[in-house]
Amino acid sequence: MNSWQRCQAAGLTPDTARPRQFNDLDFDCELVRAARPVFARLQTAVAGTPTGMFLGDATGVMFLRNVGEKAQARNLDAVGAAPGFSYAEPDIGTTAFGSALVERRTCRVVGNEHFSANLHGLTAVATPIRNPLSGRMAGVISITCPAARASRAMTALARQSATGVEQRLLELSSEHERALMEEFLRAKRLRAGTPVPGSAPGDLCHHDRLTLEDAAVRLVAQGRGAVVDVTLSDGRIATLVAQPMSDSPGIAVEVWFTAG
């Protein structure tokens, strides 16, 4: 197994591999906010079973956990499978959780395929979460249970959960980008010197406002400077100018209005 080779090359041994604990984590980061409602909806899927469901970030640190039985929660606590601990491959060795992040695909690890001897009684499936705008790795969803209780439904649940989190990330990003666009529109209404007097954004119809917001979201998602012209319903031309911010990460979009 490639993962075992990576672990051995890093100097890990099955008896000494341990998860690292982290303090001062941001449990209100965008990934966690996106995943919370997904975990809440799927809590019934693991209720009453010895199944654990985990959310980790792109570095392998766990942030959320659902466990269907208290006894299994204690078992998972004993091996550090809990929020605040890293299950990244360099720390704990081969797990579905860590392998999904390294190999960027759905991974299943059964029993003694785990590198750590403490995990040999478990089977797990994990699926990476990708940011739908940037395509970058955002985190991982993992489902685990005792090896004797494993089923192929775990894979479907992991993928369903990851898709749900990705959709929520898209919604949160769009909300942020739309808010940025609204801020520029408000600023423009207060600023003098628009190319055409009297054509401030305050007189836009609902359809034109949505059209501009959608155009701004696309520009922000590109992550670079760009200029786009949009023809409004009354014939005016709205020029959207996207520029990287100088004092913080992100893209700022400004709108100029001219006669069509």
Side-chain angles (χ1 to χ4, degrees):
M1 182 181 289
N2 290 337
S3 178
W4 272 61
Q5 294 173 354
R6 292 192 297 265
C7 296
Q8 291 168 338
L12 291 177
T13 67
D15 294 326
T16 60
R18 295 287 187 277
R20 279 188 298 156
Q21 186 172 12
F22 288 79
N23 298 312
D24 301 323
L25 296 173
D26 182 6
F27 284 90
D28 195 42
C29 63
E30 185 178 58
L31 176 66
V32 175
R33 286 188 284 113
R36 278 197 186 110
V38 176
F39 268 54
R41 288 197 302 270
L42 294 175
Q43 192 165 9
T44 56
V46 301
T49 73
T51 302
M53 177 178 173
F54 307 89
L55 171 79
D57 68 4
T59 70
V61 178
M62 292 185 176
F63 278 80
L64 294 179
R65 184 181 81 172
N66 279 345
V67 186
E69 292 180 353
K70 291 183 178 180
Q72 184 66 354
R74 290 192 293 269
N75 293 336
L76 293 171
D77 287 341
V79 296
F85 287 86
S86 170
Y87 254 58
E89 194 176 89
D91 293 315
I92 192 64
T94 302
T95 63
F97 190 98
S99 293
L101 287 171
V102 173
E103 299 181 11
R104 298 174 178 267
R105 62 179 180 87
T106 299
C107 292
R108 181 183 180 92
V109 176
V110 179
N112 59 12
E113 291 177 351
H114 288 93
F115 191 80
S116 171
N118 292 331
L119 304 177
H120 285 182
L122 300 172
T123 289
V125 175
T127 296
I129 300 166
R130 292 178 174 82
N131 185 301
L133 291 179
S134 68
R136 296 175 180 173
M137 290 286 292
V140 62
I141 290 280
S142 181
I143 311 292
T144 189
C145 71
R149 299 286 298 272
S151 71
R152 297 199 174 275
M154 295 166 61
T155 301
L157 181 59
R159 287 175 171 165
Q160 175 188 358
S161 303
T163 298
V165 176
E166 289 171 350
Q167 180 59 41
R168 282 284 299 151
L169 283 172
L170 181 61
E171 292 169 1
L172 291 176
S173 296
S174 296
E175 289 168 9
H176 172 74
E177 289 152 6
R178 288 178 188 274
L180 179 63
M181 178 64 177
E182 287 293 333
E183 180 61 29
F184 272 94
L185 291 176
R186 284 193 294 270
K188 193 65 178 175
R189 284 197 294 269
L190 299 175
R191 186 185 304 163
T194 55
V196 178
S199 61
D203 63 355
L204 291 177
C205 68
H206 180 68
H207 172 76
D208 285 346
R209 181 174 292 274
L210 290 179
T211 299
L212 289 180
E213 289 175 354
D214 287 339
V217 167
R218 290 193 295 272
L219 285 172
V220 172
Q222 291 176 9
R224 56 181 174 80
V227 178
V228 172
D229 285 336
V230 176
T231 302
L232 304 178
S233 58
D234 61 1
R236 285 180 295 174
I237 304 297
T239 300
L240 285 78
V241 181
Q243 299 181 26
M245 295 182 178
S246 59
D247 56 349
S248 63
I251 300 295
V253 179
E254 186 170 9
V255 186
W256 292 84
F257 293 80
T258 56

